[in-house]
Amino acid sequence: MTDTRQRSFEDNDQKPMGFGRMLRKEDPRFVRGRGRYTDDVQLPGMLHLAILRSPFAHARIVSVDTSAAAALPEVKAVITGADLAGLGLAWMPTLSGDVQAVLATDKVRFQGQEVAFVVATDRYVARDALELIDVEYDVLDPVIDVRQALAEGAPLIRDDLDGKTDNHCFDWETGDAGATAAVFAKADVVVSQDLVYPRVHPAPMETCGSVADFDPVEGRLKLWSTTQAPHAHRTLYAMVAGIPEHKIQVISPDLGGGFGNKVPIYPGYVCSIVGSIVTGKPVKWMEDRSENLISTGFARDYIMRGEIAATRDGKILAIRTNVLADHGAFNGTAAPVKYPAGFFGVFTGSYDIEAAYCSMTAVYTNKAPGGVAYACSFRITEAVYLVERIVDCLAYELDMDPAALRLKNFIQPDQFPYMSKTGWEYDSGDYEPTMRLAMELAGYDELRKEQAEKRTRGELMGIGISFFTEAVGAGPRKHMDILGLGMADGCELRVHPTGKAVVRLSVQTQGQGHETTFAQIIAEEIGIAPADIDVVHGDTDNTPFGLGTYGSRSTPVSGAAAALVARKVRDKARLIASSMLEVSVADLEWEKGSFHVKGDPGTAVTIQDIAMRAHGAGDLPEGLEGGLEAQICYNPSNLTYPHGAYICVVDVDPGTAVVKVRRFIAVDDCGTRINPMIIEGQVHGGLTDGVGMALMEMISFDEDGNCLGASLMDYLIPTALEVPDWETGFTVTPSPHHPIGAKGVGESATVGSPPAIVNAVVDALKPYGVRHADMPLTPSRVWDAMRGTAQPPI
Amino acid sequence: MQVPAPFEYARATTVDEAVALMGRFGDTARLIAGGHSLLPMMKLRLANFDYLIDINDLHGELGFIAVEPGVVRIGALTRHRELLDSAELAGVFPIFRDAERVIADPVVRNRGTLGGSLCQADPSEDLSAVCTTLDASCVIRGPLGTRTVSMAEFHRGPYETAVADGEILTEVRFPVRERGGSAYAKVERRAGDWAVVSAGSAVWLDDGGRIADARVGLAAVGPNTTGIPEISATLRGEEPSEQVFTRAGEIAARSCEPATDQRGSAEYKRHLAAELTVRTLRTAVARAARGEA
Ligand SMILES: Cc1cc2nc3c(=O)[nH]c(=O)nc-3n(C[C@H](O)[C@H](O)[C@H](O)COP(=O)(O)OP(=O)(O)OC[C@H]3O[C@@H](n4cnc5c(N)ncnc54)[C@H](O)[C@@H]3O)c2cc1C
């Protein structure tokens, strides 16, 4: 199946009663400038907070003199790390169970680290006052080169941790080392390749910020903040700040993008709370672009060695990898506790192999903390890049077509559910049709012909393939928790007397279109039109508990919750219908939106009739309470495993080494498709991200630890001019354990596209004998690759 | 939101008033034209000034493109977008349109000016390379009157120009010669990014189709955008050919002083200097031969 590529406003008039293409319900508010973001929150008497940040990557704080700043009449408070230490708030837990300084007390450990903050009557004075704070630093040698972090005599970063004597963060392994070694030993062909996935940044259009309003009389805290996980944040604030959880309300209003950047709790949020408690006034903190880029959650920063073993005719036998992971100054990775490397364990990809093994060492460096962010499905981005690059290296060595090599090694449909060699149970998949469709849309054979012909003329054209399988929708809660909070999500549905409804979610949209998708799920299940269903999210006082939106988990987890809660309501509606129609439940037939008597479609009651009866004065069946509502907490039994086949075509200018992405074909299989337009939108965005990472994005540092990507002039993100007209298609392999068969899709394209682009560029450079080139493939780096002088970017 | 340090602001209504204000405040003041170089630096607090003197109201006086016999005069406040849109200018100097297509983005081009570009004296500034290529001269007005300096004298180093405190660049003049052609090419990491390297070429042919004169200007490969006299000397009197262009490219590569940075290695930039010199010379000659200017 392929999409017809037409777009028409008639789509919207069709108003599907359930799944199908419709324009997004939230868009009128956004396109008319009526979105309400954290920075739009204005409260009477509100003060403004600005944060003083470290100019150094590693330095001891000798003294902090705030007197000149505090003397300004407009300044209401100046708070330092020492002040917070007095309140027991100088340190806070990270989402990975490490600790992170809210404000530095002893040392600064990365450039941009929070040192002090000012609260003033407006944001200009607050910013100016920062210049009046005098901090004396004793500058220390920084650890910037990740390969040197564990070297003898490397400066110790985390001397705050008891007994810590080196920069080691954690070790982790998965798979079977012995069995893998045995397979490698007997294999005809072994290919190994060093790969770097550079540090990148999600760079959402809206930076992070919060407005804290602490009511000293009630002891109540109301916090508007840019968070993808309002409930988890509330629980953590209760643990850190000592304010009882029932007295904290976290509101995540409209978000201007998140991509994982808004999962962690940042010191700024905590500072705004402290600022409000100290001044007794509402306090707003909004970071600027540079602050966002230098201090908030980065992503990737993996140095990987990939090894692949195969037979001479291209049967892949085993994959092995060793990873050196840069976690920055604090381990601020947002990943389930038992998965310190996220879901990197799915690095065996879509292939049926005999053995696999991964060993990983994570280290601390004097760089910003973070690690899981940027639409990566908990490190699957790195895993997919590893496997899809190394498979291409194998194709290169075997002189085999990369499409044929993949087709030869796919897990077969009858092998699902498939237990991978690293212990992941792939729920469902049918890979070959997806791959074949992508090849057909691309005109793969013609492209290869064109390429061969161009090569005779010295023109550089490349075709790159990536075939990915993702694992998204964390939990189950038994295996997956963040700081003890199980990864499950609640959902509440209430049908009003007139048959309109409100559904309340624990997840929080950042642009994914939840207000539309979730209304469509409910509509599909109970036959109330999406327009008649209000979707409430992002406010802890008004939604059930759950872990939030990241790792493409909203549809797999909350989407399931929404379907099931709707079925619960429908079950109750059925009882009411049976009494209204005076037939037994068994004699009723459900047709989207109404029950009728079997064999007598004319004798029917609609869901609206039933809602009125549920709330009305008339009789209800014995023992049934009034009202028509239900609540659920959904604990997924497994992750969902979407897959996709991506093909990228590039042209490289042999004279300048400039890469032009000419075409990109993306065939996604995310199971049941709720709103194809929203899915395509997510895919388009993710593919654009992929172009950015493959060709230009990288947060780099100089040897002193200065961040060289502190503005969008220096940290490049792609524009419309770098991307082609996306060509999308789809196949549908429903998830067997998800109530509507849906799988996550939000991150698929970000995860799957970088290897396709890199593979295409490397393929274009084949006449130069190039087998690998690291991202970002800027013209200069491509030119180096052409001349055989390429160096890893870090 | 990035917040600059406090400053005071005045809007000049005439060039004389701007000169007077600049004279009064000296080096604590800066003119603001399009603001697209100045404001980003102020927001990052890399540059702090006590006074900004806004000259945007002088667009009537300083925003013009005058194509006259033997000379093109362009006012300092002429916006990138006006340079891009002017068919008359492209008719004489197609290099302007080539360059403007790859400078920044439409939002920046709507405000950024020729004068601001030259006075910013950023070594990567594309219009500086264009002006160098075309052998422009700059008209500077100050309390003591008006003086004219050549492009070679105008830039004194990165971010330094011949414009003294209390002076204002009012106009840039370009000599127009017979049978000329010009072109510009830029390699960037992404649309709207500053040049990794860019090159402009201008060529004038004699009646026999030989190169009567040629100039090449490079950006982003040295402290200022550079014109390379050796290329001019080498090309003069030659029959245009790939070999000749290649020789010019080699001179370009060895005459520049690129530095390795995030945009690319010095070696790569040298390579580009050669490659883009060849490409722009090729186009410029073709345009001259076709009489397209
Ligand atoms: C996102 C972005 C991308 C960009 N990309 C490019 C690019 O690819 N290539 C490129 O060449 N440029 C690029 N620029 C710069 C752009 O062209 C600027 O507009 C230009 O550099 C400065 O012009 P301006 O009128 O904005 O100057 P302003 O910022 O107003 O002023 C710059 C300096 O010149 C001084 N000045 C201005 N006018 C005069 C005058 N008449 N007399 C004396 N001094 C004066 C000012 O005092 C100031 O010091 C980019 C800018 C941005 C923001």
Side-chain angles (χ1 to χ4, degrees), chain A residues 460-669:
Chain A
L460 303 179
M461 165 186 172
I463 304 154
I465 299 172
S466 148
F467 194 98
F468 65 90
T469 298
E470 275 225 84
V472 299
R477 72 195 315 162
K478 186 166 82 173
H479 302 307
M480 294 169 192
D481 69 273
I482 289 188
L483 292 181
L485 299 173
M487 301 186 81
D489 280 84
C491 187
E492 205 179 286
L493 174 64
R494 188 181 297 172
V495 182
H496 304 308
T498 56
K500 315 290 183 194
V502 56
V503 58
R504 300 172 192 278
L505 310 173
S506 58
V507 290
Q508 165 63 344
T509 188
Q510 309 127 46
Q512 295 93 333
H514 286 184
E515 289 169 36
T516 309
T517 295
F518 283 87
Q520 289 186 265
I521 294 173
I522 302 289
E524 179 76 23
E525 296 292 338
I526 55 170
I528 294 175
D532 292 339
I533 301 167
D534 205 18
V535 178
V536 175
H537 51 94
D539 178 344
T540 55
D541 270 12
N542 289 303
T543 56
F545 187 87
L547 275 231
T549 296
Y550 40 85
S552 298
R553 64 188 298 281
S554 292
T555 296
V557 186
S558 274
L564 293 178
V565 83
R567 287 177 197 173
K568 252 176 136 172
V569 164
R570 197 171 70 202
D571 287 344
K572 180 168 182 180
R574 184 190 300 271
L575 297 177
I576 298 171
S578 85
S579 85
M580 290 171 80
L581 295 172
E582 296 178 340
V583 293
S584 80
V585 165
D587 288 333
L588 286 176
E589 192 114 22
W590 168 252
E591 203 169 320
K592 215 184 266 184
S594 67
F595 286 101
H596 64 254
V597 176
K598 266 188 193 153
D600 182 10
T603 309
V605 283
T606 65
I607 190 80
Q608 286 75 16
D609 301 332
I610 298 167
M612 189 51 89
R613 172 65 76 111
H615 294 90
D619 283 341
L620 289 174
E622 254 325 286
L624 206 65
E625 290 172 5
L628 192 56
E629 53 196 72
Q631 180 163 5
I632 191 175
C633 180
Y634 179 76
N635 178 25
S637 59
N638 188 8
L639 297 152
T640 65
Y641 291 74
H643 66 268
Y646 290 178
I647 299 180
C648 175
V649 184
V650 301
D651 296 298
V652 179
D653 182 326
T656 61
V658 171
V659 175
K660 173 94 193 142
V661 179
R662 189 206 306 176
R663 287 180 67 198
F664 200 106
I665 296 90
V667 177
D668 274 278
D669 190 324

Side-chain angles (χ1 to χ4, degrees), chain B residues 31 33-38 80 104 112-113 120 125-126 169 186 194:
Chain B
L31 294 174
H36 273 296
S37 288
L38 191 57
H80 288 301
T113 65
Q120 182 63 23
E125 203 80 51
D126 290 299
L169 173 69
K186 171 177 174 178
W194 293 82

Side-chain angles (χ1 to χ4, degrees), chain A residues 712-713, chain B residues 22 29-41 49 52-53 55-56 62 76-80 99-100 102-105 108-109 111-122 124-128 140 154 161 163-164 167-171 184 186 188 190-195:
Chain A
L712 293 180
M713 297 280 276
Chain B
M22 289 296 286
R30 267 288 188 284
L31 294 174
I32 177 164
H36 273 296
S37 288
L38 191 57
L39 292 181
M41 291 195 307
F49 301 103
L52 285 194
I53 295 153
I55 55 172
N56 282 281
L62 297 182
L77 213 60
T78 308
R79 315 253 181 224
H80 288 301
E100 285 295 358
V102 290
I103 292 176
D105 51 53
V108 173
R109 291 199 295 259
R111 296 291 295 174
T113 65
L114 172 61
S117 297
L118 294 190
C119 293
Q120 182 63 23
D122 186 305
S124 309
E125 203 80 51
D126 290 299
L127 285 185
S128 299
I140 300 169
F154 187 79
T161 69
V163 182
E167 287 190 319
I168 173 169
L169 173 69
T170 53
E171 183 179 309
Y184 196 77
K186 171 177 174 178
E188 52 193 1
R190 188 205 67 189
D193 188 24
W194 293 82

Side-chain angles (χ1 to χ4, degrees), chain B residues 193-237:
Chain B
D193 188 24
W194 293 82
V196 179
V197 172
S198 48
S201 287
V203 175
W204 296 269
L205 301 180
D206 64 19
D207 292 341
R210 286 178 178 274
I211 298 173
D213 198 3
R215 292 180 60 86
V216 169
L218 299 176
V221 286
N224 281 129
T225 55
T226 39
I228 302 167
E230 194 188 338
I231 294 185
S232 308
T234 304
L235 292 181
R236 265 180 226 128

Side-chain angles (χ1 to χ4, degrees), chain A residues 356-397:
Chain A
Y357 178 68
C358 166
S359 60
M360 176 179 295
T361 298
V363 297
Y364 291 117
T365 60
N366 287 114
K367 300 175 195 165
V372 165
Y374 205 168
C376 74
S377 309
F378 296 120
R379 301 276 192 199
I380 295 179
T381 323
E382 291 92 323
V384 166
Y385 181 68
L386 174 90
V387 60
E388 289 308 290
R389 197 69 273 290
I390 194 93
V391 164
D392 255 40
C393 291
L394 177 65
Y396 181 98
E397 292 301 337

